[in-house]
């Protein structure tokens, strides 16, 4: 496989207490050009009714082009190092313990790839979505250093209904009480406007009539924490050689 790595300001925020940062919406859009990408480390935590569980990270790179995410190359350490290369509507998968009795290392099949840049459903690569998220910010303050860059932490809360306004494809056919559930978010942003860390979480309301619907044990929730590094890295994500790949094409219905 060929893998080559070669200001948002809140009204009323004291100018002296927080370093000015560039506009994240414009800064990220400027990065989404062919032959460039960013490294990611993704930590997922979930609660299925029996307590929070943090999973081993997923690590890899995200490739850009034409103002969007074009491809990803990610290794899931929770799944014993399974590696997925997603390009367009096809996936190539490598399993360390072996894939094919013929000795080929990869299998490939049609797949609707999750080509995104962001935490949870809060998309950093979609200008309208990122702008809507930032508009719900409640505070900002100097925070940690990520990717050797000092950052300002912006944080806030938006509801699922607010998210659906800018991501209508996620809106259910019939809204229920979940539309009012809060989504807490945090973005650590450098002076250049680029996000170095993104964190988002939501959980089922204690008053929800759906409480414990998945297993009857209690509320469920989700959290995702992503670290970004090497913005603008020269990057080309290509499929593995055909000689090392077994193709699976599902029958059309």
């Amino acid at each position: 496989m060929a893998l080559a790595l070669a200001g948002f300001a809140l009204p009323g925020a004291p100018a002296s207490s927080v370093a000015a940062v560039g506009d994240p919406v414009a800064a990220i859009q400027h990065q989404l050009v062919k032959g460039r990408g960013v490294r990611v480390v993704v930590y997922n935590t979930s609660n299925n009714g029996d307590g929070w569980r943090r999973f081993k990270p997923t690590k890899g790179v995200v490739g850009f082009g034409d103002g969007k995410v074009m491809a990803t190359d990610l290794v899931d350490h929770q799944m014993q190092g399974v590696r997925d290369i997603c390009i367009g509507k096809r996936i190539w998968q490598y399993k360390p313990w072996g894939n094919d009795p013929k000795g080929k290392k990869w299998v490939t099949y049609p797949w609707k790839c999750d080509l995104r840049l962001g935490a949870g459903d809060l998309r950093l690569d979609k200008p309208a979505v990122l702008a809507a998220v930032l508009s719900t910010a409640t505070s900002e303050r100097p925070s940690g250093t990520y990717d050797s860059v000092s950052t300002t932490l912006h944080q806030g809360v938006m509801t699922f209904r607010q998210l659906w306004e800018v991501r209508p494809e996620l809106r259910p056919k019939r809204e229920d009480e979940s539309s009012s559930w809060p989504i807490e978010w945090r973005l650590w942003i450098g002076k250049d406007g680029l996000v170095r860390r993104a964190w988002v979480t939501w959980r089922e309301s204690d008053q929800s009539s759906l409480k414990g619907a998945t297993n009857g044990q209690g509320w469920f929730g989700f959290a995702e924490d992503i670290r970004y590094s090497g913005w603008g890295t020269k990057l080309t994500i290509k499929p593995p050689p055909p000689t090392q790949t077994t193709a699976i094409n599902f029958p059309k219905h």
Side-chain angles (χ1 to χ4, degrees):
M1 196 282 298
L3 172 60
L5 290 181
F8 176 76
L10 286 176
S16 59
S17 64
V18 179
V21 301
D23 174 14
V25 176
I28 290 177
Q29 285 299 301
H30 185 71
Q31 295 289 318
L32 305 182
V33 297
K34 185 177 181 180
R36 301 288 174 172
V38 66
R39 301 181 185 92
V40 296
V41 180
V42 183
Y43 298 94
N44 283 312
T45 309
S46 67
N47 187 327
N48 292 321
D50 54 357
W52 287 98
R53 180 188 180 193
R54 179 164 173 154
F55 297 93
K56 293 179 180 179
T58 295
K59 300 180 180 181
V61 291
V62 178
F64 308 139
D66 299 328
K68 60 185 178 181
V69 175
M70 298 293 287
T72 59
D73 183 352
L74 303 171
V75 177
D76 188 341
H77 293 277
Q78 181 66 30
M79 296 296 293
Q80 300 177 307
V82 171
R83 182 178 178 182
D84 290 331
I85 297 175
C86 266
I87 304 173
K89 296 182 179 180
R90 196 164 191 88
I91 189 172
W92 288 260
Q93 188 172 79
Y94 169 79
K95 296 178 181 178
W97 56 87
N99 270 333
D100 187 274
K102 297 180 181 179
K104 294 186 177 182
K105 298 180 179 179
W106 297 81
V107 294
T108 181
Y109 46 88
W111 191 257
K112 187 178 180 180
C113 293
D114 185 18
L115 299 176
R116 64 185 176 96
L117 188 69
D121 291 324
L122 306 187
R123 295 282 296 267
L124 305 182
D125 54 317
K126 299 291 185 181
V129 178
L130 180 54
V133 171
L134 291 170
S135 73
T136 64
T138 56
S139 68
E140 63 177 79
R141 60 179 174 82
S143 190
T145 298
Y146 298 94
D147 192 26
S148 302
V149 175
S150 297
T151 64
T152 297
L153 169 60
H154 302 253
Q155 58 185 350
V157 180
M158 72 187 308
T159 65
F160 276 97
R161 181 179 288 112
Q162 288 175 300
L163 175 61
W164 296 338
E165 289 299 321
V166 288
R167 294 205 61 190
E169 74 277 11
L170 299 179
R171 186 187 296 273
K173 293 182 179 179
R174 183 175 181 179
E175 286 192 24
D176 55 33
E177 60 197 60
S178 64
S179 63
S180 63
W181 292 356
I183 304 170
E184 298 180 38
W185 62 267
R186 299 172 190 169
L187 297 177
W188 286 257
I189 304 172
K191 289 184 179 181
D192 54 6
L194 295 174
V195 175
R196 284 350 194 268
R197 180 181 177 185
W199 175 91
V200 63
T201 188
W202 64 266
R203 53 158 290 181
E204 186 179 13
S205 169
D206 287 327
Q207 288 73 44
S208 172
S209 63
L210 303 173
K211 187 175 181 181
T214 53
N215 55 22
Q217 297 183 39
W219 56 263
F220 55 87
F222 167 83
E224 189 168 55
D225 187 352
I226 304 180
R227 315 300 167 88
Y228 299 95
S229 63
W231 283 100
T233 294
K234 291 184 178 180
L235 178 67
T236 301
I237 299 176
K238 294 182 179 180
T243 55
Q244 298 181 15
T245 305
T246 297
I248 301 174
N249 293 299
F250 301 115
K252 296 181 178 180
H253 296 284

